[in-house]
């Protein structure tokens, strides 16, 4: 059963303004989920919105972490009911999409959110919600390091090859982002992402 809104917001995190919507992009395996998990532990009042996907769960993943895992039929039903801000078929025809009711509810009620999207989905999202959206692109230190990280987390060589094939498309869009950062040293990257988010939040308040 897919919930109507994915997140239960703590009313004490509500701001006196529209919620800021942070979109994180970057090639698969660059470390977006790790960064977001660490940021959420450090920063109060920002919520991760899990995307919906039809891809299978990897070891260590669970329902809502980092995705809402659904069947192809469930995803297509959600498309038909206009439940997505954007959606794309990525990596061997798996669907990935951003849950529109959760995003709208967060922003309208003054809660800051962060989510993950590929570069094409990000373009669609900005076209649909042009204001209060802040885009951040995460680069790997090198392509060798990216391959290494992908192989470390997934023993399926074909799945890794598919993700590597998409890297040039992803990197080709990086200049369209509000912020870019390199995820080399994790501690430093967390500090950098934190300062980007804090900078925006301080500026809009
Ligand atoms: P995976 O987790 O299967 O390795 O790769 C996920 C890919 O899909 C990444 O490029 C990630 O940025 C992208 N992605 C994750 N969630 C969404 C989403 O909601 N919408 C779109 N368009 N892409 C997503």
């Amino acid at each position: 059963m897919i919930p109507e809104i994915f997140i239960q917001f703590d009313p004490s995190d509500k701001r006196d303004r529209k919620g800021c919507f942070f979109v994180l992009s970057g090639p698969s395996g660059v470390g977006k989920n790790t960064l977001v998990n660490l940021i959420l532990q450090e920063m109060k009042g920002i919520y991760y919105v899990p995307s919906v996907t039809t891809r299978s769960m990897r070891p260590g993943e669970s329902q809502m972490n980092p995705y809402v895992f659904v069947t192809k039929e469930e995803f297509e039903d959600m498309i038909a009911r206009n439940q997505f801000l954007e959606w794309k078929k990525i990596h061997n025809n798996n669907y990935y999409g951003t849950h529109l009711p959760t995003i709208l509810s967060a922003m309208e009620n003054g809660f800051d959110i962060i989510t993950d999207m590929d570069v094409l989905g990000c373009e669609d999202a900005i076209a649909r919600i042009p204001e209060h959206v802040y885009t951040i692109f995460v680069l790997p230190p090198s392509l060798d390091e990216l391959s290494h990280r992908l192989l470390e987390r997934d023993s399926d060589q074909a799945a890794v090859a598919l993700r590597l094939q998409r890297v040039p498309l992803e990197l080709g869009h990086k200049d369209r982002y509000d912020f870019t950062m390199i995820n080399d040293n994790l501690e430093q990257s967390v500090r950098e992402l934190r300062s980007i988010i804090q900078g925006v939040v301080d500026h809009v308040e």
Side-chain angles (χ1 to χ4, degrees):
M1 192 41 194
I2 303 157
E4 274 179 29
I5 302 285
F6 292 175
I7 301 170
Q8 290 227 306
F9 297 104
D10 179 340
S12 69
D13 292 327
K14 187 175 166 60
R15 321 271 180 167
D16 254 356
R17 54 158 170 79
K18 247 191 146 166
C20 294
F21 180 17
F22 295 94
V23 178
L24 213 54
S25 295
S28 192
V30 78
K32 287 164 289 180
N33 287 329
T34 309
L35 279 173
V36 167
N37 284 333
L38 292 168
I39 282 293
L40 295 183
Q41 285 169 25
E42 286 196 7
M43 294 186 90
K44 204 186 134 29
I46 178 155
Y47 292 81
Y48 174 67
V49 181
S51 299
V52 185
T53 188
T54 56
R55 88 144 158 77
S56 32
M57 248 184 232
R58 291 189 194 119
E61 294 182 338
S62 55
Q63 191 54 290
M64 303 288 277
N65 174 34
Y67 293 109
V68 177
F69 294 93
V70 299
T71 62
K72 184 168 172 274
E73 291 68 31
E74 285 171 323
F75 198 102
E76 287 174 350
D77 175 62
M78 289 175 78
I79 296 175
R81 289 187 294 112
N82 291 318
Q83 293 280 292
F84 290 115
L85 167 61
E86 61 71 41
W87 61 269
K88 290 279 167 272
K89 259 188 179 172
I90 314 176
H91 306 324
N92 214 9
N93 282 346
N94 281 316
Y95 285 116
Y96 295 82
T98 307
H99 193 237
L100 182 63
T102 302
I103 302 291
L104 292 182
S105 161
M107 293 181 82
E108 278 158 20
N109 289 298
F111 296 102
D112 294 340
I113 46 175
I114 184 162
T115 195
D116 176 350
M117 250 177 243
D118 85 308
V119 290
L120 303 178
C122 182
E123 274 189 4
D124 291 356
I126 297 170
R128 210 160 159 193
I129 305 183
E131 288 186 356
H132 308 282
V133 182
Y134 305 90
T135 57
I136 305 161
F137 194 92
V138 186
L139 287 152
S142 68
L143 289 182
D144 276 354
E145 176 58 24
L146 184 66
S147 316
H148 176 71
R149 287 181 195 171
L150 280 166
L151 284 165
E152 229 175 20
R153 79 169 187 195
D154 200 337
S155 56
D156 180 347
Q157 301 263 347
V160 170
L162 275 174
R163 282 162 176 77
L164 284 172
Q165 259 174 34
R166 214 165 189 278
V167 174
L169 167 76
E170 294 273 337
L171 294 185
H173 283 66
K174 71 174 169 40
D175 294 338
R176 304 182 190 183
Y177 279 70
D178 298 325
F179 304 93
T180 50
M181 54 176 285
I182 301 174
N183 184 17
D184 189 355
N185 173 294
L186 188 59
E187 246 176 66
Q188 209 173 307
S189 302
V190 171
R191 270 204 302 277
E192 195 172 346
L193 181 56
R194 190 191 164 122
S195 96
I196 290 172
I197 295 173
Q198 197 62 55
V200 169
V201 167
D202 291 347
H203 182 73
V204 294
E205 265 166 359

